[in-house]
Amino acid sequence: MTITLLQHKRIVLAVTGSIAVYKAVDLASKLTQAGAVVDVIMTESAQKFVTPLTFQSVTGRSVYTDLWQTDHAGGLPTHIAHVGLGEGADLLAVIPATAHTIAKLAAGMSDDLLTVTALAARCPLIFAPAMDGGMYQHAATQHNLRTLVERGAILIEPETGRFASGLIGQGRLPETPTLIGAIRRALARQGALAGQKVVVTAGGTREAIDPVRFVSNHSSGKQGYAIAQAALDAGAEVSLISTIQSLPVPIGATLIPVNSAQEMLNAVLTESAQADILIMAAAVADFRPETIADQKIKKTDETRGLTLNLTRNPDILQTVKQGREESGFPRIVVGFAAESENLVANAQSKLARKGLDFLVGNDISASDAGFAVDTNRVILLSKAGEPETLPLMSKTEVGEYLIDRIARYTAIDR
Ligand code: CTP
């Protein structure tokens, strides 16, 4: 799967001698598949676990192992490989990082290709410690970690779990999706929305009938999650207010789980009080059961049916609109419109009525767009310009397009 943010990004993946090296092979492979250009440096002890050929096979590029070697086919004049490798790189990732290498980096030592490259590089350094729990907790290691972080390096915290030794503690290298998530955050630091707070809502609200049942709709939350990921990739700080439990939360987002429209309203008001951008991708139920039964509603042999009385839910965007008139926050508000007929006309009136800067209109009658599927066919309306009809896109692409449009708009707005 390609990842827009990683396209053509040059990542130097420095691999040190830990059993977790096998996870770095998967990482190198996934980064390459995502579109990054991955140059691997291996320390001598890393090569005891895995051969350079393994990394070369997954990256399709030369692997660098020796400060003094001059016969690489990778195109770098290798007597200055350390300078060349670090120079053009967008990120230096030391994954897995042993206690030994962390100590050398903290001390600014330069006795192998990895440490020399780290000193020569001008790009950010991200590192993921992997070691036994006792080694990780040792005062010396903790001191070295702090030194690196204070110097601006980005630490990927190790996870707690069972080690190869059989012991349990903190020191395990996280799995590939977590590592890629952290790498994305590091690369996004200069993004168009860096320093901005974005609130995204996702999923259909669940309106309780009794302790076990609810009324809801078909919204899968996928479009909202894709928008949250796109905002993260643009460098934003993201709060994701969601009714969905089954989708992986984009790494770096703060998840605020909610169920009902009322809970979502409260969360939106709290989160967006200081936010730059609010994107209401959630399918908020317009009605909820008038009363919620305390106990599960039982049927008897005589029960033939059940009538539910529904009452109106608050309109979250209308409430935000009123507050915004006084506070000025959130600075930008984006709504969605799910329509089954007259898409453009209905969407246009919703944009005006709800006081929105942008509105994403969905034709829910199309089978390749809208609920549950991975693709979407939308129109994008803005307060400022003509409606845009976008072609069939993946929800990821729609999210990225929307975030790009918003980022350009905020740049003018400021
Ligand atoms: N929305 C909201 N609060 C509600 C209902 C909807 O904030 N109680 C938001 C949705 O998150 C979406 C936008 O309003 O961003 C439009 O939602 P939609 O269901 O299409 O419109 P409604 O306002 O409910 O209008 P209608 O159902 O009449 O089309």
Side-chain angles (χ1 to χ4, degrees):
M1 188 192 71
T2 58
I3 296 173
T4 307
L5 177 67
L6 291 175
Q7 292 301 303
H8 313 299
K9 288 282 169 5
R10 285 209 42 212
I11 298 175
V12 175
L13 178 62
V15 182
T16 72
S18 151
I19 177 60
V21 166
Y22 76 93
K23 290 186 185 171
V25 175
D26 186 49
L27 175 65
S29 168
K30 297 284 171 16
L31 286 172
T32 305
Q33 288 171 38
V37 178
V38 183
D39 283 317
V40 175
I41 296 176
M42 296 182 79
T43 61
E44 217 177 299
S45 37
Q47 295 168 63
K48 307 257 191 237
F49 291 92
V50 168
T51 67
L53 182 62
T54 312
F55 280 102
Q56 194 183 319
S57 307
V58 296
T59 63
R61 297 176 64 82
S62 300
V63 171
Y64 300 89
T65 53
D66 186 347
L67 187 54
W68 308 110
Q69 198 174 333
T70 54
D71 58 352
H72 275 304
L76 288 167
T78 53
H79 62 289
I80 52 159
H82 54 289
V83 182
L85 278 173
E87 207 171 37
D90 295 291
L91 188 68
L92 172 59
V94 185
I95 303 176
T98 56
H100 181 65
T101 293
I102 290 169
K104 289 204 297 182
L105 290 171
M109 285 173 67
S110 54
D111 64 345
D112 62 6
L113 184 57
L114 187 162
T115 45
V116 172
T117 304
L119 282 185
R122 293 286 160 266
C123 61
L125 167 72
I126 189 167
F127 68 112
M131 64 197 71
D132 218 66
M135 293 170 80
Y136 185 69
Q137 293 305 338
H138 195 284
T141 307
Q142 289 297 315
H143 181 263
N144 291 332
L145 292 174
R146 275 197 302 278
T147 303
L148 288 177
V149 170
E150 277 160 19
R151 230 185 261 152
I154 303 160
L155 167 68
I156 304 177
E157 291 263 4
E159 292 178 351
T160 301
R162 192 180 174 283
F163 296 110
S165 62
L167 296 173
I168 291 175
Q170 188 184 8
R172 280 174 57 87
L173 188 70
E175 300 300 323
T176 304
T178 307
L179 298 172
I180 292 191
I183 287 171
R184 284 170 93 153
R185 286 306 279 157
L187 290 170
R189 293 205 301 184
Q190 309 298 326
L193 292 184
Q196 304 217 28
K197 173 162 178 175
V198 178
V199 179
V200 183
T201 64
T205 61
R206 297 166 169 202
E207 311 297 334
I209 298 171
D210 67 13
V212 289
R213 304 181 177 96
F214 57 80
V215 189
S216 191
N217 57 61
H218 286 297
S219 171
S220 65
K222 285 182 178 176
Q223 187 60 76
Y225 277 58
I227 292 167
Q229 180 65 70
L232 287 164
D233 282 354
E237 185 201 322
V238 176
S239 294
L240 178 57
I241 301 171
S242 170
T243 62
I244 304 294
Q245 276 124 39
S246 51
L247 289 177
V249 179
I251 307 277
T254 304
L255 179 74
I256 298 151
V258 293
N259 282 307
S260 64
Q262 187 61 53
E263 283 175 23
M264 186 173 277
L265 171 66
N266 295 342
V268 166
L269 293 179
T270 307
E271 287 302 310
S272 62
Q274 305 286 319
D276 296 284
I277 301 161
L278 167 66
I279 304 174
M280 281 291 300
V284 185
D286 290 322
F287 302 97
R288 67 170 184 276
E290 210 163 47
T291 52
I292 305 172
D294 289 340
Q295 305 298 332
K296 184 182 170 195
I297 300 171
K298 291 284 204 187
K299 64 178 180 305
T300 63
D301 288 347
E302 287 72 46
T303 309
R304 286 289 161 265
L306 176 70
T307 304
L308 283 178
N309 281 326
L310 301 179
T311 184
R312 275 289 290 271
N313 260 333
D315 189 299
I316 300 176
L317 280 175
Q318 286 294 352
T319 316
V320 167
K321 183 184 166 197
Q322 287 155 16
R324 189 186 179 203
E325 279 159 13
E326 282 192 9
S327 69
F329 289 99
R331 291 196 298 113
I332 292 164
V333 180
V334 183
F336 273 67
E339 304 291 346
S340 55
E341 55 182 358
N342 301 331
L343 177 59
V344 178
N346 283 337
Q348 224 136 19
S349 82
K350 233 170 241 183
L351 177 90
R353 198 169 66 240
K354 300 205 178 202
L356 305 173
D357 298 277
F358 289 96
L359 185 136
V360 183
N362 255 133
D363 179 355
I364 51 168
S365 62
S367 63
D368 52 6
F371 297 130
V373 291
D374 289 325
T375 49
N376 215 348
R377 193 191 293 280
V378 302
I379 58 165
L380 183 59
L381 307 186
S382 86
K383 194 171 71 176
E386 289 295 304
E388 285 179 72
T389 303
L390 305 184
L392 185 70
M393 288 174 157
S394 69
K395 287 187 174 169
T396 299
E397 288 167 335
V398 170
E400 289 172 355
Y401 191 89
L402 178 65
I403 289 297
D404 185 57
R405 282 300 312 273
I406 296 170
R408 281 193 276 143
Y409 180 75
T410 54
I412 300 165
D413 198 39
R414 274 196 278 185

